[in-house]
Amino acid sequence: MILEKLKENKIVAVIRAKDHQQTREYIGACVKGGIKSLELTYSIPDVCELIKEYSQQEDLLVGVGSVLNKKMALDAIEAGAKYVVSPGYSEEVNTVCKEKNILYLPGCMTVTEIMKAMDAGNKMIKLFPGDLFGAKFVKSIKAPIPNVEIMPTGGVTTENVKEWFENGVSCVGAGSSLIKGSTEDIEKTAREFVKLIKELEM
């Protein structure tokens, strides 16, 4: 089950890049650093070609991000995306994912949005932008809605990743804090993320 795999891998590399070569370099660095879940966003030109290629690698869990409408969702699912992530909640994307039996992680900011997304049958929501709320917000949400699975994206860093998990998130999405500097820097940051998360399990 994809949801369980995401929770098991605990961190998703959110990848934005200007072209395919840069994307490959970013993916290579993240994977070398131990990250197995990838969110290839629609800000990458012709992203579906890369989804098609990387989704065939059994050790990787490849999803699509920045999905805004039905066509984007369908194209990515057809290319092999195992899960779909949006910056907000989209009814038509939700419908497509339910029809295709694909995990949908809609972006939510408020408790009302989270309740709406859950009512529509979604098990995990993306708390976005995470840096506007901080980790304590998760604890507050989970008090009245304990069964919500939350993946914060935006504002997750090596400095605060433990705090996010300690406040009840199921996994985290790391974008700009991970994908910066050289490929060596990215690999090093990925290793640090993985190491810090492993320490929580001890």
Side-chain angles (χ1 to χ4, degrees):
M1 195 178 162
I2 301 305
L3 177 66
E4 294 310 316
K5 269 194 176 175
L6 277 177
K7 287 163 67 176
E8 193 183 305
N9 291 346
K10 291 200 163 51
I11 179 165
V12 177
V14 181
I15 297 177
R16 302 184 183 283
K18 62 180 184 194
D19 55 34
H20 283 200
Q21 186 188 336
Q22 190 179 56
T23 308
R24 289 178 197 285
E25 287 169 5
Y26 290 167
I27 291 172
C30 289
V31 172
K32 268 189 190 171
I35 295 176
K36 294 175 183 171
S37 297
L38 306 170
E39 180 188 316
L40 304 184
T41 66
Y42 260 104
S43 53
I44 301 165
D46 300 316
V47 70
C48 289
E49 289 174 25
L50 289 166
I51 291 170
K52 196 172 283 182
E53 181 185 334
Y54 283 96
S55 64
Q56 288 169 15
Q57 296 188 24
E58 282 180 20
D59 54 333
L60 299 180
L61 188 62
V62 179
V64 62
S66 305
V67 176
L68 307 176
N69 57 48
K70 180 181 178 178
K71 185 181 185 323
M72 291 166 91
L74 277 171
D75 288 350
I77 292 166
E78 206 170 281
K82 300 290 188 291
Y83 57 97
V84 171
V85 187
S86 294
Y89 174 78
S90 162
E91 198 66 61
E92 60 177 62
V93 173
N94 187 67
T95 302
V96 166
C97 290
K98 293 294 163 282
E99 283 170 0
K100 299 286 182 184
N101 199 23
I102 292 285
L103 180 69
Y104 179 40
L105 283 75
C108 298
M109 270 181 87
T110 67
V111 176
T112 303
E113 287 177 356
I114 291 168
M115 287 169 67
K116 183 185 174 189
M118 289 179 76
D119 285 345
N122 297 295
K123 300 276 192 295
M124 185 182 277
I125 63 103
K126 167 175 126 164
L127 182 66
F128 179 77
D131 50 350
L132 287 186
F133 296 100
K136 287 188 174 64
F137 184 64
V138 175
K139 196 172 186 178
S140 301
I141 293 168
K142 286 183 78 82
I145 318 172
N147 59 329
V148 64
E149 308 267 14
I150 295 173
M151 178 181 86
T153 303
V156 176
T157 65
T158 50
E159 285 79 31
N160 66 20
V161 68
K162 283 189 172 183
E163 193 189 347
W164 282 106
F165 279 100
E166 282 159 1
N167 280 277
V169 301
S170 298
C171 65
V172 294
S176 54
S177 68
L178 169 64
I179 311 293
K180 63 177 181 186
S182 65
T183 50
E184 288 81 9
D185 292 333
I186 295 167
E187 185 185 335
K188 189 180 169 192
T189 307
R191 280 189 200 287
E192 182 68 9
F193 266 118
V194 171
K195 176 176 157 282
L196 289 164
I197 291 167
K198 277 214 174 104
E199 284 171 8
L200 286 164
E201 297 167 0
M202 288 170 181

